Amino acid sequence: MIKRIAIFILLPIILTVSGEFVLKATINDIFSTKTTITTNNTQDIKYCQEKIKPTLNQKIDCILSDLKIFVLNTKIVLSLLAIILGGILWLVALSKFELSFLYPFLSINYLSIIFGSQILLKETVDLYRYLSVVLIILGLVFISRSPYSESEND
């Protein structure tokens, strides 16, 4: 029973959250160094990064430049695969457990993201976010005390 919960509930959460962190950190790195990655001439992409009004062709160039950077980045591709695999496992979990039991576990994503964002990404997290985390944890405690049930599709 616990093994099934770990596989079908916790593994998708771990894959999704870790994929999101790597994705965010990688995108932060890309945009902080985009000028040097995209071109040697800073003026060529100045309109992509500043509030200069670009022409339609310049907008398309910016989008294609971003897409090329994203598609060729191994970390981004692996992060997206982890998120997709987490989603597929979540779909399997939906077939194995009652939705009313399963869905509150998604709040673990919120907890992980808030704490991880502050620790790993050095983001500022204010008191209201922490209070909301406490409410989420209380909700999980109440849900965990409710009768456990597996779907009859099992």
Side-chain angles (χ1 to χ4, degrees), residues 18-19 36 47 62 91 99 101 115 119 126:
S18 59
T36 57
Y47 52 82
C62 290
L91 291 174
L99 183 62
F101 172 78
F115 292 126
I119 295 166
D126 64 6

Side-chain angles (χ1 to χ4, degrees), residues 22-47:
V22 173
L23 193 61
K24 175 65 174 161
T26 305
I27 288 172
N28 285 351
D29 288 345
I30 286 172
F31 280 104
S32 69
T33 60
K34 182 178 174 192
T35 303
T36 57
I37 291 173
T38 306
T39 181
N40 293 330
N41 185 352
T42 307
Q43 288 298 333
D44 290 347
I45 61 159
K46 191 169 185 171
Y47 52 82

Side-chain angles (χ1 to χ4, degrees), residues 20 66 108 148 151:
E20 292 289 346
D66 288 347
I108 294 171
Y148 169 78
S151 174

